[in-house]
Amino acid sequence: MVEKFLVGGEWRTSDEILAVMFPYDGSQAGAVYMATEQDLDDATAAALRGFEITRKLPAYKRTEILMNLHRLMQERFDDLVNTMIMEGGKNYKTAVSETTRALQTILVSAEEARRIEGEVLSIDWTPAGEGRQGFVKRVPIGVVLGITPFNYPINLACHKLGPAIAVGNSIIIKPPEQTPLSSILLAELILEAGYPPEALSVVPCYGPRAERMVLDPRIAMLSFTGSAAVGWMLKGKAGRKKVALELGGNAGAIVHNDADLDNAVSRISVGGFANAGQNCISVQRVLIHHDVYEEFVDSLIPAVEALKVGDPRDKDTDVGPLISMRDAERAESWVNEALDQGATMLIGGERNGTLMPPVVLSQIHPDMKVACQEIFAPVLTVMPYQDWDEAVATINDSDYGLQAGVFTNDIKRIMDAWDRIEVGGLQVNDVSTFRVDHMPYGGVKGSGFGREGVKYTIEEMTEPRLMVLNLT
Ligand code: NAD
C-alpha cells in the first residue's frame, strides 16, 4: 500500500512514489507518494487560511485537541512503535521509549497551552510615560515549517507539532525521506483529534525540494532538526523568517578520579550506543582521569560486550542497524582511518551490512574524524587526562556544544564545569544523552540556534505583542 500525504487536511497522491526500506535487511517496509512543488505551494496557502482559524482557538480547545491526540497516540502505541522499527530500524526498546516520550511531549504541550501568559508593565519610569499602562501578550507566530530528521521521527515531530498546536499556529511538516511513515500516522491522529484540517500538512519529499518553503516569505518560522551542514545552510536562505536549529554534536563525558565508576560505566555504556549511536547527544568522547583510566576501561569493555546486537524487532536487542548501508560504510571507514592513524580498537567486530557491532577506540588524537566530527554510529573513544583543566579544554575543543556529562562528586568541580563547559546543557553524574522533554534543550556553537522543550519552543513559536494604554 502506498500512503497518501496531507495538504491542508486533504489526502493526496502524485506521480512519484518513495519506497521506504527496513534498514535491517533491505526489504521494503512501505511506500509513500511524494509531494510536488505545487503541493508544497498549496500546503503553504492552506496553512495561511488555517492560521486564521487556529489563532482564534481558545486555550481550553487547544488543550482538548492535544489531550485527544494523547489518547489516540496511546491507543495506537503499538502501531507507532512498529512503524518506527520498520522504517528506521529502531530497536524495539528504543522505539517504546521514544513513543513514551512523545506522549509526554504532547501531554506537556496540552498543559502549557493553558499557561501562555503575558506581563503588566509600568511605563512611567520616565516622565514621558506618566499616565500610561503597558501590557504584553504572546501571539502565535503564523505558519511554521517543521523539518525533521530520521533518527527520532515521532518525538522530534511532536516537539514541533505539540507546541504549534498549543499556541494556535498552523504547521507544515517535511518528514525525512528515510522515515516518512510515522509522520503520516501522526497526521491522521492529529486530524482525528480535531485540529482544523487546513492548518496541518505533512509533505514528504527530498530535502532540496523543501527549500522553496524555506525561501517563501509567507512562512513565519523554520523549525529545523537535522545535520549542522543542512541547518546552517537553510538559515542562510531563510530571509526574515524566525529560525530555530537543533543540530548535531560529538558529545563528551569527563570521568574524574572521585567519581562513582560503576555509575559512570553503566551510564556511558548505554549513552554511547543507544539507537545505535544515531543520537545527536550520543556520548562520543570519554575523558577519564589517569588514576582511574585502567579500572574504568576494564569495567567498560564487558559492559559494552554485553550489549545485544541484532534484529531490531527482537525485544532484547540493544543495538540495531544503522539507517543505511551508506551510513554504515561511512562510519566503518572513519574507524579504519583512525586505526591507520594510530588508534587502538579495544572492542569491535565485523560489520554485517547495516549492523555495526559497538566499537571502543583508545589512543585517540583530537583531530581524528572519530573524535572531532559527529560519527552518528555505535562508536566511543576513550582518552586519559592528567588534570581537570585539560579535560575541560578538550571537551570544549569542538565545533559543537549540545550537551556534556561530568562524573564527579566535588561540588567545586561541578560548578566550574557548569561555568566553563560550552554546551546548552550539562549533565552531572550522568551522560549527555539524558533528556526529558520539558527541559530546555539545544546547543551552542555549531550545534544549534534557539531551544526546544515545550515551554521554550512555545516562546520561539510566539511573538510578544505590546499594548500601551494612554490614560491621561
Ligand atoms: P539531515 O540534515 O540529512 O536531514 C534532516 C532533514 O532535513 C530531513 O528531513 C531532510 O530531508 C531535510 N533536508 C535535507 N536537505 C535539505 C534541504 N536542502 N532543504 C530542506 N530540507 C533538507 O539529517 P538526518 O541525517 O536526517 O539526521 C541526523 C542529524 O540530525 C544528525 O546530525 C543529528 O545530530 C541531528 N539531530 C539533532 C537533534 C537535536 O535535537 N539537536 C535531534 C536529532 C537529530
Side-chain angles (χ1 to χ4, degrees):
M1 177 181 157
V2 184
E3 299 290 342
K4 294 178 180 166
F5 56 87
L6 189 69
V7 174
E10 181 193 332
W11 292 104
R12 290 192 179 180
T13 64
S14 71
D15 293 337
E16 285 175 80
I17 293 177
L18 174 72
V20 179
M21 301 304 184
F22 180 33
Y24 178 63
D25 62 9
S27 61
Q28 189 166 339
V32 65
Y33 292 105
M34 293 226 272
T36 63
E37 292 189 349
Q38 184 61 53
D39 294 313
L40 302 187
D41 292 347
D42 292 351
T44 306
L48 287 168
R49 292 195 303 276
F51 180 57
E52 288 310 310
I53 304 167
T54 54
R55 70 187 190 85
K56 294 179 195 141
L57 287 175
Y60 83 89
K61 196 77 203 158
R62 288 178 264 128
T63 301
E64 195 176 283
I65 292 165
L66 286 160
M67 289 310 296
N68 288 343
L69 176 59
H70 184 261
R71 176 180 44 79
L72 291 166
M73 285 171 69
Q74 275 177 323
E75 285 168 19
R76 300 291 295 275
F77 192 95
D78 290 347
D79 291 338
L80 290 164
V81 166
N82 289 331
T83 303
M84 277 196 291
I85 293 174
M86 295 311 293
E87 67 177 359
K90 177 160 290 198
N91 63 308
Y92 175 83
K93 287 186 220 174
T94 310
V96 166
S97 88
E98 176 172 353
T99 309
T100 308
R101 279 184 51 192
L103 280 164
Q104 180 70 7
T105 304
I106 296 303
L107 185 63
V108 176
S109 299
E111 292 167 356
E112 290 292 346
R114 294 186 163 129
R115 289 198 278 263
I116 301 167
E117 310 288 3
E119 208 181 333
V120 178
L121 288 180
S122 48
I123 299 292
D124 56 0
W125 286 19
T126 69
E130 198 174 333
R132 285 166 171 81
Q133 181 69 61
F135 305 88
V136 180
K137 66 173 178 176
R138 298 208 72 91
V139 297
I141 196 165
V143 180
V144 174
L145 169 62
I147 300 185
T148 54
F150 76 82
N151 61 333
Y152 286 86
I154 289 182
N155 193 33
L156 296 179
C158 286
H159 268 285
K160 307 195 185 308
L161 290 160
I165 296 172
V167 304
N169 285 324
S170 53
I171 180 156
I172 303 170
I173 291 284
K174 201 308 269 176
E177 40 273 60
Q178 304 95 326
T179 57
L181 302 175
S182 37
S183 293
I184 300 284
L185 177 50
L186 272 179
E188 270 176 50
L189 303 184
I190 294 170
L191 290 185
E192 202 180 330
Y195 208 53
E198 296 86 342
L200 179 66
S201 294
V202 174
V203 284
C205 62
Y206 289 116
R209 185 172 291 169
E211 279 185 36
R212 67 189 288 110
M213 294 189 287
V214 175
L215 293 166
D216 192 326
R218 295 172 299 170
I219 291 179
M221 179 179 177
L222 166 65
S223 171
F224 176 88
T225 306
S227 62
V230 175
W232 291 112
M233 180 275 289
L234 292 180
K235 181 170 181 288
K237 295 189 171 186
R240 293 202 299 224
K241 61 175 59 58
K242 200 163 179 181
V243 175
L245 302 176
E246 296 291 337
L247 309 173
N250 61 345
I254 299 179
V255 182
H256 202 57
N257 59 2
D258 65 338
D260 172 346
L261 285 193
D262 288 345
N263 174 48
V265 165
S266 124
R267 297 301 294 144
I268 289 168
S269 60
V270 172
F273 304 103
N275 206 29
Q278 299 168 115
N279 200 330
C280 49
I281 38 179
S282 196
V283 187
Q284 188 173 328
R285 300 174 297 148
V286 187
L287 302 162
I288 306 119
H289 192 272
H290 67 100
D291 285 352
V292 292
Y293 179 78
E294 296 294 334
E295 191 185 342
F296 174 84
V297 169
D298 287 350
S299 315
L300 180 71
I301 299 306
V304 175
E305 236 158 15
L307 297 172
K308 186 173 174 235
V309 182
D311 189 331
R313 293 166 294 194
D314 291 347
K315 293 198 169 161
D316 54 352
T317 292
D318 297 300
V319 180
L322 292 173
I323 188 70
S324 71
M325 196 69 88
R326 196 167 56 107
D327 286 277
E329 285 167 0
R330 192 232 351 118
E332 183 184 54
S333 77
W334 288 17
V335 170
N336 288 338
E337 186 181 289
L339 295 175
D340 289 344
Q341 292 167 340
T344 301
M345 189 181 275
L346 300 177
I347 181 171
E350 277 296 293
R351 177 175 64 83
N352 177 10
T354 51
L355 267 191
M356 186 169 181
V359 174
V360 178
L361 298 170
S362 66
Q363 309 292 332
I364 297 298
H365 301 293
D367 53 356
M368 290 173 175
K369 283 195 193 115
V370 291
C372 68
Q373 295 189 29
E374 178 182 44
I375 187 146
F376 227 54
V379 178
L380 198 71
T381 61
V382 291
M383 289 165 268
Y385 66 85
Q386 298 296 321
D387 72 59
W388 174 257
D389 286 348
E390 176 198 339
V392 170
T394 308
I395 292 278
N396 284 343
D397 181 20
S398 168
D399 285 340
Y400 296 110
L402 197 46
Q403 297 213 95
V406 294
F407 291 84
T408 175
N409 288 309
D410 177 341
I411 187 68
K412 287 197 176 138
R413 284 186 204 284
I414 292 171
M415 299 310 280
D416 181 56
W418 195 26
D419 270 349
R420 289 201 292 147
I421 294 186
E422 297 158 356
V423 285
L426 180 72
Q427 305 297 333
V428 177
N429 291 324
D430 212 331
V431 277
S432 50
T433 329
F434 177 83
R435 181 181 184 189
V436 291
D437 294 276
H438 63 286
M439 72 187 204
Y441 180 80
V444 298
K445 302 199 275 189
S447 287
F449 190 67
R451 292 291 179 274
E452 277 194 346
V454 180
K455 182 174 123 184
Y456 304 89
T457 314
I458 283 178
E459 207 164 300
E460 307 259 357
M461 286 190 180
T462 51
E463 290 284 4
R465 183 171 293 160
L466 169 73
M467 177 178 74
V468 178
L469 279 184
N470 180 356
L471 301 167
T472 56

